Amino acid sequence: MKIAIPKERRAGEARVAASPEAVKKYVGLGFEVVVETDAGAGASFADEDFKAAGASIAGDAESALADADVVLKVQRPLTAEEGGPDELKMLKKGAVLAGMLAPLQNQEQVKAYADAGIMALGLELMPRITRAQSMDVLSSQANVAGYKAVIDAAANFGRMYPMLMTAAGTVPPARTVVMGAGVAGLQAIATARRLGGAVSAFDVRAAAKEEVESLGAKFIQVEEGADASTQGGYAAETSEDYKKKQAERIHEVLQKTDIVVCTALIPGRPAPVLVPEETVKAMPAGSVIVDLAVEQGGNCPLSESGKVVEKHGVTIVGHPNTPARVPVSASSLYAKNLLNLFTSLWDKENGQLKLDPEQDDVVKGIQLTRDGAIVNPALTGEGG
């Protein structure tokens, strides 16, 4: 069975779906692996490294994808309408396509997978179960994003991050607030603490308080007993009354904050607005906001995707696709997620993939299309 790893072609994407280490293990399982030339260049993986791991190198996408049984990607395939080459047309009927395909935001493309006879696996829909933790691409990439967000904040901040006591005087630590204490938020807290910042965090989920405090940060309490957790551990919508109290409390705290890292997202919906313009106006001059939610509208409405802007004396950082800005680490983690997934699905004795949604909750969660039809409950209106 042949696995293909093409080069990612979307703007700003430096990651790759397999590392040389992962390729070596795929070959050990019995797969044939072909890698498009320079597919790993953005992540500092050379063609020679892939060859040494047992892969063959294809000169272009078309030859890499020809007759591939499994195609591993980071982002969804390009289409001709997006400036091509049309990667979907290069896939053979019956091929398995795995990647972060953004199915909820690109349902027309999911239909195109079905029409092409492709079995598409949307890795963002990985179920939050114990067995799938090592396959969870959202968590691995959010870890990278949370780290990089704090580094970006420090790079745009006009003062030092830690407290510094010198003969010339004392520099206070950067007062940092992390909005959202999911995987990205917790990594941002940990990174800001390592840099010596005075860190606080806010989240609508009651369970986040213990996690925040375990990292040495203060939890910003809005209302005793408030909880907006979903069964999968994500944040859910809150009541209008809670939103009003939340906005008042955040406005109060951010008036004395130097750095804000925004990470709050609700799956399948626009990002909640947590730092409105009136709050930005009240922040100290020279403070910094890093908005990791910018691609879904932003936790701050003043953030602009792909830009670092200054509004009301506050620098607002809106880099999209933050994990791709740490491509070596992000690619290595993503590649291991995929390796863990396909190792669990591989029947080495029969040389086949086990892709039965009736027998496997992981397959049921991530399978978007099968036998020419859209089958995922989140897309068919049957649940999710």
Side-chain angles (χ1 to χ4, degrees), residues 31-316:
F31 288 100
E32 175 190 351
V33 182
V34 57
V35 179
E36 183 183 354
T37 188
D38 291 333
S44 300
F45 299 145
D47 289 349
E48 289 303 315
D49 297 331
F50 285 115
K51 286 180 67 176
S56 59
I57 305 299
D60 55 32
E62 189 169 6
S63 55
L65 296 172
D67 298 322
D69 301 293
V70 178
V71 176
L72 306 183
K73 284 187 58 60
V74 177
Q75 294 203 46
R76 59 192 173 89
L78 269 177
T79 64
E81 291 75 16
E82 294 172 310
D86 195 323
E87 295 175 298
L88 184 57
K89 287 186 177 179
M90 299 179 191
L91 273 60
K92 73 175 185 180
K93 185 176 181 179
V96 175
L97 168 67
M100 292 188 287
L101 306 179
L104 299 178
Q105 297 88 347
N106 298 279
Q107 296 192 33
E108 282 301 312
Q109 192 160 17
V110 176
K111 185 178 183 301
Y113 303 148
D115 292 343
I118 303 300
M119 182 182 293
L121 306 178
L123 304 182
E124 304 98 320
L125 301 182
M126 186 69 65
R128 289 290 178 94
I129 58 177
T130 300
R131 173 178 163 243
Q133 286 181 347
S134 66
M135 313 168 193
D136 188 347
V137 298
L138 289 185
S139 291
S140 74
Q141 302 306 290
N143 253 314
V144 176
Y147 159 81
K148 184 61 172 174
V150 174
I151 302 303
D152 285 340
N156 285 278
F157 188 45
R159 293 199 284 109
M160 297 184 68
Y161 218 104
M163 182 173 72
L164 188 67
M165 301 178 71
T166 73
T170 300
V171 175
R175 298 165 296 184
T176 303
V177 169
V178 178
M179 309 296 291
V183 175
L186 293 174
Q187 182 58 249
I189 291 168
T191 304
R193 289 277 295 156
R194 291 187 195 104
L195 290 179
V199 186
S200 301
F202 164 77
D203 198 284
V204 296
R205 297 164 300 160
K209 182 176 187 293
E210 184 177 344
E211 295 176 313
V212 166
E213 292 177 344
S214 73
L215 292 171
K218 294 180 180 179
F219 189 74
I220 299 171
Q221 193 75 49
V222 174
E223 178 181 321
E224 288 294 337
D227 188 15
S229 302
T230 65
Q231 188 174 1
Y234 294 102
E237 285 280 7
T238 56
S239 68
E240 291 304 316
D241 181 58
Y242 180 86
K243 287 178 181 177
K244 182 179 179 181
K245 294 177 180 179
Q246 167 189 299
E248 292 171 352
R249 180 71 174 127
I250 290 173
H251 184 85
E252 174 190 357
V253 171
L254 295 195
Q255 291 181 67
K256 300 176 182 179
T257 297
D258 300 308
I259 289 172
V260 182
V261 177
C262 297
T263 73
L265 291 169
I266 300 173
R269 299 188 182 183
V273 174
L274 301 178
V275 189
E277 184 169 7
E278 56 266 29
T279 299
V280 175
K281 290 178 180 178
M283 290 178 65
S287 52
V288 177
I289 297 171
V290 179
D291 196 345
L292 290 181
V294 68
E295 290 176 277
Q296 288 182 230
N299 294 146
C300 176
L302 300 182
S303 61
E304 298 181 30
S305 185
K307 296 182 180 180
V308 177
V309 297
E310 185 175 320
K311 301 289 180 69
H312 308 299
V314 176
T315 299
I316 305 174

Side-chain angles (χ1 to χ4, degrees), residues 104 125 363-368 374-384:
L104 299 178
L125 301 182
V363 175
K364 183 179 180 179
I366 65 176
Q367 192 173 78
L368 306 178
I374 298 173
V375 297
N376 194 283
L379 299 170
T380 60
E382 298 172 9

